[in-house]
Amino acid sequence: MSINSAPAPAPLRIGLIGFGCVGQGLYDILQQQPESGFEIARIAVKSTTKARTLPLDRFDFQADDLLQDASLDVLVEVIDDADEAFRLVREALRQGRRVVTANKAMLARHLQELVQLQQQTGGTLLYEAAVCGSIPIIRTLDAYFGAEPLRSVTGILNGSSNYVLTRMGEQGADYAPALDEAQQKGFAETDPALDMGAFDPRSKTVILAAHAYGTFLQPDEVLNLGIESISAVDIAFAATLGRKIKVVAGLQRLPDGRVTALVTPLLVAPESPLYAVDHEFNGVVIEADFAGEQFLRGRGAGGHPTGSAVLADLAAIRQGYAYQYPKLHAAPLTYATDLELEIYLRTDEDRLIDALDFTEISEEADEDGYVVGYVALANLLRLRDKLREYGAFVVRTGQVRPLSSPVAAREFEDAL
Ligand SMILES: NC(=O)c1ccc[n+]([C@@H]2O[C@H](COP(=O)([O-])OP(=O)(O)OC[C@H]3O[C@@H](n4cnc5c(N)ncnc54)[C@H](OP(=O)(O)O)[C@@H]3O)[C@@H](O)[C@H]2O)c1
């Protein structure tokens, strides 16, 4: 019998929960590929009154009905409500079902529990779309680099902030018009806080840490500093050093074998592959002990790129694939925060400079209102909300060193 004469397997029946940008993107992709072997059998949405691109009888309005439908082979959860997404995904995994999600905020908060649940029930959860849209970073870390220790995983994981920074760099423009343009072109949300405040790439970093280092982090433990207060002065400062400012998420193994995670603006040199990752693109550099440097670049958001990652997960599920979390089972690395980071800080609030308690200052430009020097990571973690509140802008130079002296709380911090 020739290999071609084997009957095609029945299509995998999908229960799609959420029909917004990503849900609709997946639907489109499958419409364009009728032979893909996937059938969107049921679609659940929330609003009963919203105008739809499909006939109304295609929709369910209770996602729980899909959970109860045993004829569905896979559930795809792509809703915009992290709490509800967690409830649905947890329930599906409790039933031992196969689930694909794109919800990074939900995963970052609950990953450890969801991994344990899969081990207990035999359910499967895949989530390639949650980190960098179409870039296959999670499967690369989990499957390909599962056996190899990694020096670092460093990336531009948020297309919206990258677009704003690129436009500011190209035009010498200020933040507000660049953000406005990003919103008009659909590269930034109406409420840009999660993207511009680096909360979104922080969620993605937490997910990557589990696969790259076997380390479960809580989002709040990870330093995230955003670009809401960046100005043309800061871009110009970086340009005098021949660098660009990018929001970079960095996981790095330290010489003592622990791992650190930082999600902040960074001065990026032209030698880095991330230097040329501009506009709405994402990019990730993996430095592996034996393979050396690898670089992935692609579209990190949007209906089709994200739908493409969901499709890849569906194909993997059909082949029986599940994440192995190999580093978790080998030797998870301990998370380190007892470090000092070299930063450029621009602020007109002297009390912030005092409260940060620089251990070394190498440059101080009073007229431009900036300081360059080393600060304990613990102080940045403690004061990050104040930095935001007072409109300070921080960019890391990339230099990290062990803590030189114990961190003491500063009395005048209360006055801030
Ligand atoms: N957009 C991207 O490029 C992108 C990229 C990567 C990851 N993601 C993630 O993918 C997820 C979906 O994003 P999106 O951009 O597609 O969101 P979206 O465009 O806002 O669409 C959300 C969809 O979820 C539905 N929904 C909300 N609550 C629901 C509930 N309780 N039951 C059933 N349906 C519900 C909404 O229903 P109605 O239609 O009735 O309002 C809507 O169809 C999010 O977690 C997001 O972080 C998005």
Side-chain angles (χ1 to χ4, degrees):
M1 187 169 80
S2 113
I3 194 163
N4 292 328
S5 63
L12 221 60
R13 284 169 56 80
I14 296 166
L16 178 60
I17 308 177
F19 199 65
C21 178
V22 182
Q24 201 143 160
L26 176 69
Y27 185 89
D28 268 12
I29 290 172
L30 295 181
Q31 282 296 104
Q32 288 176 37
Q33 301 191 96
E35 306 304 317
S36 66
F38 301 106
E39 176 203 345
I40 298 198
R42 291 179 78 171
I43 306 171
V45 287
K46 188 174 180 185
S47 163
T48 52
T49 53
K50 216 184 221 180
R52 302 287 171 190
T53 52
L54 299 176
L56 210 58
D57 63 5
R58 277 296 268 132
F59 295 97
D60 282 272
F61 299 97
Q62 292 296 333
D64 286 279
D65 291 348
L66 273 59
L67 258 64
Q68 303 314 322
D69 183 346
S71 78
L72 299 172
D73 298 302
V74 188
L75 295 166
V76 173
E77 179 285 298
V78 281
I79 71 172
D80 55 348
D81 173 340
D83 293 335
E84 183 63 0
F86 177 55
R87 189 187 70 75
L88 293 167
V89 169
R90 182 177 51 184
E91 179 50 32
L93 290 178
R94 278 183 181 150
Q95 295 175 18
R97 301 190 72 144
R98 299 183 287 182
V99 187
V100 176
T101 180
N103 200 318
K104 54 248 172 175
M106 181 275 286
L107 289 164
R109 267 184 253 150
H110 302 289
L111 191 55
Q112 189 162 17
E113 180 180 343
L114 295 173
V115 171
Q116 284 164 356
L117 202 52
Q118 290 173 77
Q119 288 162 352
Q120 286 158 13
T121 67
T124 301
L125 179 64
L126 298 187
Y127 41 80
E128 190 65 69
V131 183
C132 293
S134 63
I135 301 178
I137 181 63
I138 299 178
R139 205 113 51 93
T140 300
L141 294 175
D142 195 85
Y144 189 85
F145 284 115
E148 184 164 342
L150 301 179
R151 251 171 265 160
S152 61
V153 178
T154 317
I156 294 172
L157 312 183
N158 184 271
S160 311
S161 52
N162 201 41
Y163 187 86
V164 169
L165 289 172
T166 304
R167 294 301 286 150
M168 288 181 76
E170 284 170 352
Q171 297 196 319
D174 260 320
Y175 173 72
L179 174 61
D180 202 38
E181 184 190 316
Q183 286 170 324
Q184 276 172 26
K185 292 202 163 174
F187 295 133
E189 307 279 341
T190 320
D191 175 5
L194 291 182
D195 291 329
M196 301 304 146
F199 294 94
D200 170 84
R202 183 177 71 175
S203 294
K204 295 165 178 169
T205 306
V206 166
I207 299 168
L208 292 181
H211 292 275
Y213 295 102
T215 309
F216 286 118
L217 300 171
Q218 272 306 310
D220 235 21
E221 294 179 287
V222 177
L223 179 68
N224 66 307
L225 299 171
I227 60 163
E228 305 96 324
S229 301
I230 192 170
S231 84
V233 177
D234 308 314
I235 304 274
F237 171 82
T240 59
L241 302 171
R243 306 209 165 186
K244 285 184 188 172
I245 296 176
K246 300 276 186 195
V247 176
V248 173
L251 292 162
Q252 191 168 16
R253 192 183 66 213
L254 300 169
D256 65 9
R258 296 180 302 159
V259 65
T260 189
L262 302 164
V263 187
T264 73
L266 179 73
L267 294 174
V268 177
E271 301 76 51
S272 165
L274 297 180
Y275 185 88
V277 177
D278 281 334
H279 297 102
E280 73 276 25
F281 280 86
N282 285 191
V284 188
V285 180
I286 301 168
E287 272 201 80
D289 278 5
F290 305 108
E293 186 180 282
Q294 311 258 317
F295 173 51
L296 293 119
R297 174 185 180 278
R299 293 186 186 279
H304 282 177
T306 313
S308 147
V310 174
L311 176 66
D313 279 353
L314 290 170
I317 277 189
R318 183 166 50 194
Q319 291 162 3
Y321 178 80
Y323 295 138
Q324 297 303 307
Y325 302 95
K327 304 286 167 66
L328 175 67
H329 300 301
L333 300 197
T334 306
Y335 181 48
T337 54
D338 51 347
L339 300 166
E340 287 179 8
L341 315 180
E342 192 181 35
I343 62 165
Y344 154 104
L345 163 71
R346 184 181 47 74
T347 181
D348 48 19
E349 181 51 79
D350 285 346
R351 286 175 305 166
L352 267 181
I353 301 174
D354 288 341
L356 278 169
D357 200 11
F358 278 76
T359 53
E360 181 186 327
I361 289 184
S362 55
E363 199 180 333
E364 216 164 348
D366 287 341
E367 67 287 4
D368 291 328
Y370 75 81
V371 178
V372 179
Y374 280 89
V375 172
L377 171 54
N379 286 342
L380 286 166
L381 279 164
R382 204 175 56 241
L383 288 163
R384 66 185 142 180
D385 293 340
K386 293 286 179 202
L387 289 164
R388 195 167 286 124
E389 189 183 321
Y390 282 87
F393 179 69
V394 173
V395 54
R396 291 199 302 117
T397 67
Q399 296 300 317
V400 176
R401 68 187 190 190
L403 201 61
S404 53
S405 58
V407 177
R410 308 277 294 184
E411 292 159 20
F412 37 78
E413 209 172 297
D414 292 342
L416 275 169

